[in-house]
Amino acid sequence: MDINGKEYLTIAFPKGKLFGLSKELFSRVGYTADGLEEKSRKLIIANEEKKIRFIVAKTADVPTYVEYGAADIGVIGKDVLAEEEKDVYEVLDLGFGKCHLMMAVDKAEKREKLTDYAHTRVATKFPHIAEQFFTKKGMQMEYIKLNGSIELGPLVGLSESIVDIVETGTTLKENNLEEIAHIMDASARLIVNRVSYKLKFDRIYRLVEDLRGTLESGEAKR
């Protein structure tokens, strides 16, 4: 259900590291609003002149808002998008928030081959992605869903390995963990509600092309 009406374009930004970069990119193409801040107490921040509304949501909730039409457009990491598998259009790679998903183990407990970890426990925020990866390798695993510090899994004996996102690898090194398998690359993506894409096509298409042009010109921060 579209709660916002056809005259508005509603955009969902994720809280956290992607918020500032999303705000900066959209502002470069004229999409902004007074009071648009990550910690704003207002749940919906509007630019009435341009008929734009912004929602600032928890990262995992952004695809849900877009899928059900509470937001027309959203910014979300490819890792979350792949894990959630929501029914939305992925229309543009925004290029920032780059990281990758990988499998890591305690260096002291490292085994010779990847398949030597079959039938062991893996701690992860991404059980769906992990299961797809290991199934393709012909490996059955036990998945333990965590939401906090995934690196704790092997350190406290909860799991033999982890599947998590990595940017610099510093946290892995500090906890004596070693990456042993690359799963997928990820970055911020622009997603669109399927119904909104039809009903508001001209406006959404223009926004996507403006964002694409800004990214290709190198003006946007990465």
Side-chain angles (χ1 to χ4, degrees):
M1 180 178 68
D2 185 350
I3 64 172
N4 302 302
K6 291 183 180 181
E7 64 177 334
Y8 285 92
L9 197 65
T10 302
I11 302 163
F13 283 166
K15 294 181 179 180
K17 63 182 181 180
L18 296 184
F19 175 83
L21 293 168
S22 300
K23 178 182 175 181
E24 167 68 19
L25 174 61
F26 275 71
S27 69
R28 287 185 175 273
V29 296
Y31 279 70
T32 187
D34 291 338
L36 178 56
E37 301 295 339
E38 182 178 358
K39 296 182 180 180
S40 172
R41 291 182 179 274
K42 294 184 67 176
L43 300 179
I44 298 176
I45 301 99
N47 182 328
E48 298 293 349
E49 180 183 353
K50 294 188 175 182
K51 300 301 181 186
I52 305 167
R53 287 176 174 169
F54 292 93
I55 298 171
V56 183
K58 288 186 177 181
T59 300
D61 291 339
V62 169
T64 301
Y65 280 115
V66 175
E67 180 182 37
Y68 286 95
D72 301 303
I73 291 171
V75 175
I76 193 66
K78 178 65 175 180
D79 51 322
V80 177
L81 193 59
E83 178 65 24
E84 297 292 329
E85 288 197 324
K86 297 295 185 181
D87 187 20
V88 298
Y89 286 129
E90 179 186 333
V91 296
L92 189 62
D93 183 348
L94 300 177
F96 55 78
K98 289 183 178 180
C99 59
H100 69 276
L101 274 83
M102 54 86 231
M103 177 187 182
V105 300
D106 187 329
K107 288 183 179 180
E109 303 294 331
K110 186 177 178 181
R111 303 181 185 183
E112 186 176 349
K113 303 188 302 294
L114 179 64
T115 51
D116 290 339
Y117 293 94
H119 304 288
T120 62
R121 293 171 297 179
V122 53
T124 183
K125 295 178 185 176
F126 307 96
H128 178 70
I129 294 174
E131 184 176 13
Q132 286 186 323
F133 172 75
F134 289 115
T135 297
K136 288 180 181 178
K137 300 291 184 182
M139 299 167 64
Q140 290 186 344
M141 307 289 281
E142 180 181 351
Y143 302 96
I144 300 175
K145 176 71 182 294
L146 294 179
N147 296 301
S149 299
I150 308 301
E151 295 83 5
L152 270 175
L155 302 183
V156 299
L158 180 65
S159 66
E160 283 74 26
S161 64
I162 65 171
V163 166
D164 200 11
I165 56 173
V166 169
E167 293 181 52
T168 64
T170 301
T171 303
L172 292 180
K173 293 177 182 178
E174 290 177 348
N175 291 283
N176 203 39
L177 299 174
E178 180 179 339
E179 178 178 341
I180 63 168
H182 181 281
I183 297 177
M184 65 175 286
D185 293 316
S187 58
R189 306 300 167 98
L190 191 73
I191 58 174
V192 179
N193 173 269
R194 290 183 179 274
V195 175
S196 297
Y197 194 71
K198 295 177 181 178
L199 296 179
K200 306 177 184 181
F201 177 81
D202 289 343
R203 194 172 183 191
I204 291 173
Y205 179 80
R206 186 165 61 250
L207 171 59
V208 172
E209 290 306 302
D210 286 347
L211 291 172
R212 192 192 311 277
T214 298
L215 292 170
E216 291 177 352
S217 71
E219 293 179 20
K221 292 182 180 179
R222 297 297 179 110

